[in-house]
């Protein structure tokens, strides 16, 4: 069990670093023109990167109280959904025009919301539009994945999704415990969920299950039962996120009884138990909160040092430019991030006006890119080798100069070193096994944007507790 003093010391608010700079630091002066310039620049590089496409489907049948995703709770079959699909298609065409023919798409991911809110034929239409306006790589290099809510799909519908091209499935479970499900307003049939996992595993080499630790009414013992069922189902990847409780920012979370939330010690016990059980079952710990069987591409990517972290979590798709399509979707180049409007009506209106629906973003400085590379190495590899970092960003600096460049940060790490969470090396540092529970505060040492109160452009503290 982790030392309680360490828990007290490091269980602070910190970003999850799915990007650096983090989204609260995107600003509204970055719009369509800036995006187009960065797209052009990315086409003009000597070896242009492959492309990865994220498509956001915001619709959900009901509201889960823990959820911080961009979503619209609505009824199936309504005009709103058809209308959104038309706008998505228009955005796909607008984005496609910006990228040269040598930019191959190697990944398409549908996230939400609930992507399987759409019928298979609607998803197929969207995929067809992507194939029309972009150049797709061929399988097995092309990976098409989808997040599934098993409450609204049957095993035979998963087979239909496989038939239209989906090769990887990520299934939302969160927790099988009935008291937890009722506290988060997400009643989910265990038998249908397990049947969906079985069907997805029959069809695909890679099936992920999302779980959440720290939910209301959850105990380490109750969570262990969920975990064992998921392991028995044979999934190749498990994401065990810690619950980000931010009721000031996420309205739905105000429906959760604060007194039903587990305290820090219980949350940490659950997190540690999760790691112990999964390692014992043969999974490898990936980055901060993911686990994968050795044969899964995620485990291989960690081994080959090609693992990446982006807005969807951990990915095997190294070095792609990310095109985010749909309401609230985020795009990424080496040199910039941008985000679409999070409001459905504004998103639709901007597309109607033939404008890319980008409402904010940020152009990255060289310092941003260096720090982003260090933070990426912390979050993905638990190891920072400044000579490797620097060669990927600026060729003129030697590792020695970089040690000097980051001298204040390396000094600030001494606390973590004294506590046995970080171990220094000649060219950087490693994060110890215990330190992996505190990757976020370790990464935060390199974050220049963290100011008093950690507030971004919105003026609201946007980050959750570390544990
Ligand atoms: S967890 Fe999924 S299904 Fe539930 S509200 Fe959030 S996006 Fe919708």
């Amino acid at each position: 069990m982790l030392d309680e003093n360490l828990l007290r010391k490091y269980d602070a608010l910190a970003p999850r670093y799915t990007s650096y700079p983090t989204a609260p630091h995107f600003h509204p002066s970055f719009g369509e023109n800036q995006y187009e310039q960065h797209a052009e620049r990315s086409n003009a590089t000597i070896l242009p990167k492959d492309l990865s496409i994220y498509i956001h489907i915001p619709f959900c049948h009901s509201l889960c109280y823990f959820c911080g995703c961009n979503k619209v709770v609505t009824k199936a079959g309504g005009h709103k959904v058809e209308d959104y699909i038309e706008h998505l298609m228009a955005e796909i065409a607008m984005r496609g025009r910006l990228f040269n023919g040598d930019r191959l798409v190697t990944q398409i991911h549908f996230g939400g919301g609930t992507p399987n809110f759409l019928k298979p034929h609607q998803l197929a239409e969207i995929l067809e539009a992507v194939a029309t306006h972009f150049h797709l790589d061929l399988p097995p290099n092309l990976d098409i994945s989808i997040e599934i809510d098993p409450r609204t799909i049957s095993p035979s519908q998963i087979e239909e999704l496989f038939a239209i091209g989906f090769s990887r499935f990520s299934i939302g479970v969160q927790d099988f415990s009935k008291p937890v499900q009722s506290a988060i307003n997400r009643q989910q049939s265990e038998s249908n969920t397990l049947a969906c996992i079985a069907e997805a595993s029959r069809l695909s080499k890679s099936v992920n299950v999302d779980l959440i630790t720290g939910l209301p009414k959850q105990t380490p013992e109750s969570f262990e039962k969920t975990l064992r069922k998921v392991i028995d189902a044979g999934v190749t990847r498990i994401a065990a996120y810690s619950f980000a409780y931010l009721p000031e920012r996420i309205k739905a979370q105000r429906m959760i009884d604060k007194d039903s939330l587990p305290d820090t010690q219980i949350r940490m016990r659950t997190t540690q138990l999760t790691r112990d059980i999964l390692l014992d079952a043969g999974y490898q710990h990936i980055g901060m909160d993911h686990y994968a069987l050795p044969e899964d591409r995620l485990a291989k990517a960690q081994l080959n040092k090609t693992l990446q972290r982006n807005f969807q979590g951990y990915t095997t798709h190294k070095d792609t430019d990310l095109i985010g399509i749909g309401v609230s979707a985020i795009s990424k180049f080496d040199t910039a991030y941008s985000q679409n409007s999070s409001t459905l009506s504004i998103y639709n209106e901007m597309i109607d006006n033939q404008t890319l629906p980008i409402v904010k973003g940020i152009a990255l400085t060289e310092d941003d890119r260096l720090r982003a590379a260090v933070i990426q190495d912390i979050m993905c590899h638990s190891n920072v080798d400044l000579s490797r970092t620097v060669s990927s960003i600026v060729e003129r600096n030697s590792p020695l100069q970089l040690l000097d460049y980051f001298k204040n940060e390396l000094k600030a790490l001494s606390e973590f070193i004294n506590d046995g969470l970080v171990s220094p090396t000649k060219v950087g540092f490693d994060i110890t096994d215990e330190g992996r529970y505190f990757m976020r505060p370790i990464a935060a040492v390199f974050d220049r944007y963290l100011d008093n109160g950690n507030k971004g452009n919105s003026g609201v503290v946007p980050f959750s507790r570390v544990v």
Side-chain angles (χ1 to χ4, degrees), residues 12-17 440-441 444 454 463-466:
L13 303 173
R16 286 177 185 246
Y17 292 111
R440 290 160 63 187
N454 293 347
F463 310 125
S464 58
R465 299 195 80 80
V466 167

Side-chain angles (χ1 to χ4, degrees), residues 59-60 62-64 66-67 69 71 112-114 149 151 174 186:
F59 306 108
C60 296
S62 61
L63 180 67
C64 307
F66 65 86
C67 178
C69 300
K71 73 252 169 212
T114 308
D149 179 348
R151 294 174 301 167
Q174 329 310 348
R186 189 185 165 100

Side-chain angles (χ1 to χ4, degrees), residues 129-176:
V130 175
T132 304
H133 296 286
F134 288 89
H135 293 82
L136 305 190
D137 206 338
L138 296 172
N141 291 341
L142 174 64
D143 174 35
I144 309 181
S145 53
I146 183 166
E147 293 165 15
I148 299 277
D149 179 348
R151 294 174 301 167
T152 52
I153 200 166
S154 63
S156 64
Q157 285 166 320
I158 292 191
E159 196 173 5
E160 278 183 67
L161 294 180
F162 182 74
I164 61 172
F166 288 97
S167 50
R168 218 159 41 72
F169 301 94
S170 178
I171 296 176
V173 172
Q174 329 310 348
D175 195 325
F176 280 132

